[in-house]
Amino acid sequence: MDSKIRILLLTLTLLFQLNCNEVVQEEARLTTAPEVPPVIERNNEAKVIINLETVEQVGKLSNGVEYTFWTFGGTVPGPMIRVREGDEVEFHLKNHPSSKMPHNIDLHAVTGPGGGAASSLTVPGRSSKFSFKAINPGLFIYHCATAPVGMHIANGMYGLIYVQPKEALKKADKEYYVLQSEFYTIGKHGAPGLQGFNMEKAISENPDYIVFNGSVGALTEEKAITANVGETIRLFVGNGGPNLISSFHVIGEVFDHVYTEAGTEANQKNVQTTLIPAGGATIVEFKVEVPGTYILVDHSIFRAFNKGALGMLKVSGATNTQIYSGKQGETVYLPEGGAIQKMKSDTKEEPRPKTKEEKIADGSRVFNAVCSACHMKDGKGLPGTFPPLAKSDYLNADKARAIKILKNGLSGEIKVNGIKYNNVMPHLELSDDDIANVLTYLYNSWDNKGYEISSEEVKRN
Amino acid sequence: MVYIPSGTYTPFLSDKKTISKRKIKIPGFYLDQYPTSNLEFSQFLEKNPKWRKGLPSPLFADETYLAELDSNMLGSDSKKRNSPVTFVSWFSATAYCEFYGKRLPSSDEWEYVASIPPKNKDKKFIQSVILNWYGEKRPESLPERGKYKNRWGIYDMHGIIWEWVYDFNSSSVTEDSRADKDLERNLFCGGGALQANDFEDYASYMRFGYRSGLSGKYTAKYLGFRCASSSPPP
């Protein structure tokens, strides 16, 4: 009896100790972009609690432009999460009572139906809980996957979760969180006020805004990310989409390493631009050697300069002219003569006057491009509508009148070769040379009187 | 109440066991012209004190039940008396309807009426009303009823609140509701595209998604109800 009790107690103690040794529990520290959660220093697996709230709120999309964002954690993108490979994650998704919509979360780091979505559908004012084991290391997008999923993503519901590999990456001096995404608004880019979501534009994949970290200017000027010369930078870059693939590029930098599509291998070196699929991510690393401002862009470049996909990395420190000299001089480049030349002074060569034949040749090009649509290639016009230029009494009767018509246009009734015309010939934007050439061409074609018209004559009239 | 003529309607989600684009015949029925208001619900509480705030069992109404119903709703000075009542559970809504000899509409009945656009408008217009509602600035309290009227004279099927239906979880319960199958996975992500009849009917996705997430005791800020009846109202 005594020994039985002793064995029982021993077993209980052992069990208790085992439990205590095994389960380390902690709450994940979530960070707002561009901040990245600190590196996880522990070498053991843990149970990690994540609390994330969905909130629908009006926020700034651009200067003077507001939008009703659907968010994780009240920010677009949602907070960044960091756990360690092998951790057991207990996820609590809370939908704020003021929400109109049901929401859930699909973490691409989750192996299981819907990436957690099927277990986390949460109506306003409720909280859902599910758990998963982070078996695959890497950088993953998470997003809301409640139907219609496109709309939840288009309204701002995405973020990044980094499952730190058991063997952590080499420490970088600076780590930043950047996320690209698009917005589809009722008004055009820049139209002020509260902008609603435009379903047609979303379906046709034609966004008005393409931005880093949720709004135009979220990563520029005083909100730029920073570093010092000599530091290594690691960017965790996600693409929330919902539709477009990003050609991610940092102007003036070459990525020393790229973890393509955010896999765990630094599989590329010396990359200029890397693709980030919608619903995907990448990790890039580079050392900054030269101070200055480096521009982060989607190198589908109209997105950067016309739709907002611009960010800044400001690097401070001493200049290094060994690597980048700065501007060393400026000269004019003239392609003639093969060598770079200094700009000559204002002496302009007088153009050689053209021969009659050259004028006729030039004039025929003008005629075919501008006049023949109405007056026809053969100059016969359309009787009653467009007067003829071939063997034309009206044309041959008055050179000065012809010049004026070409300079100013003509409207009202005229009589050509016995037929009345009452139509409008618009004023054509022709140079004096063009007018001289085309008239010379006309007077020397189709049995007309063979006059030669000079530019000076055109100028005078 | 307004008489809703019988007709057919194509449900947004097709039944797996039948061909898609199945049409459902809806027999004629009666439907409240407006969602139930704060005033109307307060009058119900006068006669049914057991449904007052804090009294129903937590099985029938959760802790936010009637969170926005003031005690002075019967007074004429209340600004919210003509706004739809929200933070009501399925059980309390059902009790209300039954007290007046009515019932909650079925989801088919509700969707049938909701699919009717206002006079001289088409389905696109309904979508724009809904999308505007999603994107608008959130008012301090819900607006008065009567913002949106459809061709049959029914108000506010869209644009102010979500509404309870009798069979709110019919699209979510699968063959075996004991297993972890209580949510309709086909409503999530790409799966949603497998069953839907109209891929652009985003609003319907949202309604079915919303209903799938509900449980009978839940109450929420934008969730109210209206009653239906198969026979003429008394």
Side-chain angles (χ1 to χ4, degrees), chain B residues 7-232:
Chain B
T8 56
Y9 126 90
T10 307
F12 164 71
L13 286 174
S14 58
D15 189 327
K16 267 175 279 185
K17 288 164 194 147
T18 56
I19 46 163
S20 71
K21 294 265 177 195
R22 109 197 123 116
K23 283 200 188 290
I24 289 195
K25 191 161 163 35
I26 310 282
F29 68 104
Y30 295 84
L31 187 68
D32 282 350
Q33 196 173 13
Y34 294 95
T36 306
S37 71
N38 282 321
L39 175 66
E40 288 162 347
F41 201 83
S42 299
Q43 288 163 343
F44 161 76
L45 293 179
E46 287 288 295
K47 291 167 187 155
N48 298 272
K50 67 171 180 174
W51 281 105
R52 281 185 186 161
K53 204 183 285 191
L55 297 184
S57 150
L59 290 173
F60 298 137
D62 64 17
E63 53 271 33
T64 52
Y65 175 62
L66 296 182
E68 290 195 347
L69 191 77
D70 304 340
S71 50
N72 67 342
M73 230 33 113
L74 293 166
S76 56
D77 54 335
S78 170
K79 280 182 190 150
K80 293 195 277 183
R81 67 207 307 256
N82 282 321
S83 302
V85 66
T86 57
F87 285 110
V88 283
S89 65
W90 181 90
F91 295 102
S92 61
T94 303
Y96 175 96
C97 293
E98 282 175 356
F99 179 73
Y100 293 106
K102 306 189 230 178
R103 59 176 172 82
L104 284 175
S106 70
S107 72
D108 282 339
E109 286 171 337
W110 196 97
E111 291 290 329
Y112 171 53
V113 177
S115 71
I116 301 300
K119 244 185 201 151
N120 306 322
K121 303 277 194 223
D122 60 8
K123 226 179 142 189
K124 278 256 177 265
F125 181 81
I126 300 181
Q127 276 212 28
S128 72
V129 169
I130 295 169
L131 290 177
N132 285 344
W133 180 54
Y134 291 171
E136 73 186 6
K137 267 204 168 100
R138 306 293 151 92
E140 192 71 358
S141 55
L142 292 181
E144 287 198 6
R145 303 176 302 179
K147 275 181 73 177
Y148 165 90
K149 181 187 182 183
N150 80 3
R151 205 169 65 221
W152 291 340
I154 301 287
Y155 285 89
D156 303 323
M157 294 299 277
H158 309 290
I160 303 183
I161 52 165
W162 307 93
E163 293 184 18
W164 280 109
V165 290
Y166 180 75
D167 52 344
F168 63 90
N169 55 1
S170 64
S171 76
S172 58
V173 176
T174 52
E175 291 77 18
D176 183 359
S177 57
R178 290 168 302 173
D180 181 26
K181 285 184 177 173
D182 53 336
L183 295 171
E184 181 56 90
R185 300 235 168 74
N186 290 322
L187 279 169
F188 301 115
C189 222
L194 292 175
Q195 268 193 297
N197 273 326
D198 181 350
F199 302 117
E200 293 199 18
D201 196 351
Y202 274 66
S204 298
Y205 272 105
M206 201 70 91
R207 281 198 298 278
F208 281 84
Y210 191 98
R211 288 179 196 140
S212 297
L214 293 173
S215 169
K217 66 176 180 177
Y218 286 9
T219 71
K221 185 178 175 73
Y222 291 95
L223 181 57
F225 72 101
R226 75 179 77 212
C227 306
S229 175
S230 300
S231 48

Side-chain angles (χ1 to χ4, degrees), chain A residues 24-230:
Chain A
V24 181
Q25 185 169 314
E26 61 186 40
E27 192 177 334
R29 189 166 89 77
L30 309 184
T31 59
T32 305
E35 199 194 337
V36 172
V39 176
I40 295 169
E41 306 283 2
R42 62 181 152 79
N43 291 315
N44 55 325
E45 292 166 5
K47 181 175 177 181
V48 181
I49 315 281
I50 295 173
N51 284 296
L52 194 55
E53 187 186 41
T54 56
V55 193
E56 299 158 11
Q57 61 188 23
V58 173
K60 182 182 145 186
L61 178 56
S62 184
N63 276 335
V65 183
E66 289 187 314
Y67 191 86
T68 302
F69 294 102
W70 300 356
T71 73
F72 285 107
T75 57
V76 179
M80 184 161 168
I81 304 165
R82 187 174 199 141
V83 297
R84 188 175 171 274
E85 181 184 359
D87 283 352
E88 187 197 335
V89 181
E90 184 182 293
F91 209 103
H92 297 259
L93 187 73
K94 299 159 183 187
N95 192 351
H96 195 273
S98 71
S99 296
K100 275 181 187 166
M101 306 301 151
H103 297 297
N104 65 9
I105 191 164
D106 170 354
L107 299 123
H108 289 182
V110 172
T111 315
S119 312
S120 62
L121 180 67
T122 311
V123 292
R126 315 294 307 185
S127 172
S128 300
K129 173 185 150 188
F130 68 98
S131 296
F132 67 94
K133 197 164 173 75
I135 50 179
N136 295 98
L139 180 65
F140 301 91
I141 283 276
Y142 65 79
H143 64 90
C144 180
T146 305
V149 59
M151 193 169 169
H152 286 259
I153 294 177
N155 281 337
M157 302 195 79
Y158 35 71
L160 286 178
I161 176 168
Y162 182 53
V163 181
Q164 184 179 305
K166 279 182 178 156
E167 206 142 305
L169 301 184
K170 212 178 139 206
K171 205 164 161 37
D173 295 307
K174 294 274 162 64
E175 289 185 334
Y176 290 110
Y177 165 21
V178 177
L179 195 141
Q180 178 175 330
S181 60
E182 316 117 42
F183 288 92
Y184 302 83
T185 54
I186 301 287
K188 281 188 184 152
H189 179 95
L194 181 66
Q195 289 293 326
F197 167 67
N198 187 315
M199 183 65 75
E200 277 81 39
K201 288 181 188 171
I203 291 171
S204 61
E205 307 188 5
N206 181 24
D208 300 277
Y209 294 89
I210 301 172
V211 295
F212 292 129
N213 289 354
S215 65
V216 177
L219 207 57
T220 59
E221 302 305 340
E222 72 280 2
K223 289 179 192 155
I225 51 177
T226 57
N228 297 310
V229 166

Side-chain angles (χ1 to χ4, degrees), chain A residues 103-372:
Chain A
H103 297 297
N104 65 9
I105 191 164
D106 170 354
L107 299 123
H108 289 182
V110 172
T111 315
S119 312
S120 62
L121 180 67
T122 311
V123 292
R126 315 294 307 185
S127 172
S128 300
K129 173 185 150 188
F130 68 98
S131 296
F132 67 94
K133 197 164 173 75
I135 50 179
N136 295 98
L139 180 65
F140 301 91
I141 283 276
Y142 65 79
H143 64 90
C144 180
T146 305
V149 59
M151 193 169 169
H152 286 259
I153 294 177
N155 281 337
M157 302 195 79
Y158 35 71
L160 286 178
I161 176 168
Y162 182 53
V163 181
Q164 184 179 305
K166 279 182 178 156
E167 206 142 305
L169 301 184
K170 212 178 139 206
K171 205 164 161 37
D173 295 307
K174 294 274 162 64
E175 289 185 334
Y176 290 110
Y177 165 21
V178 177
L179 195 141
Q180 178 175 330
S181 60
E182 316 117 42
F183 288 92
Y184 302 83
T185 54
I186 301 287
K188 281 188 184 152
H189 179 95
L194 181 66
Q195 289 293 326
F197 167 67
N198 187 315
M199 183 65 75
E200 277 81 39
K201 288 181 188 171
I203 291 171
S204 61
E205 307 188 5
N206 181 24
D208 300 277
Y209 294 89
I210 301 172
V211 295
F212 292 129
N213 289 354
S215 65
V216 177
L219 207 57
T220 59
E221 302 305 340
E222 72 280 2
K223 289 179 192 155
I225 51 177
T226 57
N228 297 310
V229 166
E231 286 186 322
T232 50
I233 319 281
R234 179 176 294 133
L235 298 182
F236 294 96
V237 192
N239 183 1
N243 289 318
L244 302 183
I245 291 167
S246 171
S247 302
F248 185 71
H249 177 80
V250 177
I251 298 175
E253 263 301 338
V254 176
F255 303 137
D256 299 332
H257 297 112
V258 173
Y259 298 72
T260 306
E261 288 159 16
T264 38
E265 293 285 319
N267 58 335
Q268 281 290 3
K269 287 180 177 176
N270 306 315
V271 173
Q272 55 193 308
T273 300
T274 189
L275 279 176
I276 315 175
T282 190
I283 303 170
V284 300
E285 295 167 349
F286 53 95
K287 188 177 173 189
V288 283
E289 286 93 354
V290 179
T293 299
Y294 295 83
I295 311 289
L296 282 60
V297 295
D298 180 338
H299 214 297
S300 293
I301 207 72
F302 277 101
R303 299 177 184 175
F305 295 100
N306 298 69
K307 294 189 171 183
L310 268 178
M312 287 179 184
L313 164 65
K314 291 189 174 172
V315 178
S316 44
T319 51
N320 184 346
T321 49
Q322 291 281 306
I323 291 173
Y324 184 71
S325 69
K327 198 172 218 173
Q328 289 177 312
E330 183 174 322
T331 54
V332 167
Y333 167 70
L334 289 172
E336 290 91 355
I340 294 173
Q341 305 164 349
K342 290 278 180 202
M343 177 80 99
K344 282 188 190 161
S345 61
D346 263 354
T347 54
K348 212 171 141 191
E349 257 185 70
E350 205 65 31
R352 181 179 57 86
K354 284 196 168 84
T355 65
K356 191 175 175 183
E357 278 65 37
E358 284 169 337
K359 281 185 179 173
I360 290 170
D362 286 350
S364 86
R365 279 195 287 276
V366 175
F367 176 81
N368 286 323
V370 181
C371 318
S372 64

Side-chain angles (χ1 to χ4, degrees), chain A residues 1-15:
Chain A
M1 189 70 182
D2 221 33
S3 62
K4 264 189 183 170
I5 288 176
R6 208 174 297 154
I7 289 166
L8 188 69
L9 274 174
L10 199 69
T11 318
L12 279 173
T13 319
L14 266 173
L15 273 172

Side-chain angles (χ1 to χ4, degrees), chain A residues 415-436:
Chain A
K415 204 173 187 181
V416 184
N417 295 351
I419 297 174
K420 275 186 190 165
Y421 294 86
N422 193 353
N423 212 333
V424 176
M425 169 163 151
H427 159 68
L428 304 161
E429 299 282 356
L430 295 174
S431 69
D432 291 350
D433 280 349
D434 283 342
I435 290 173

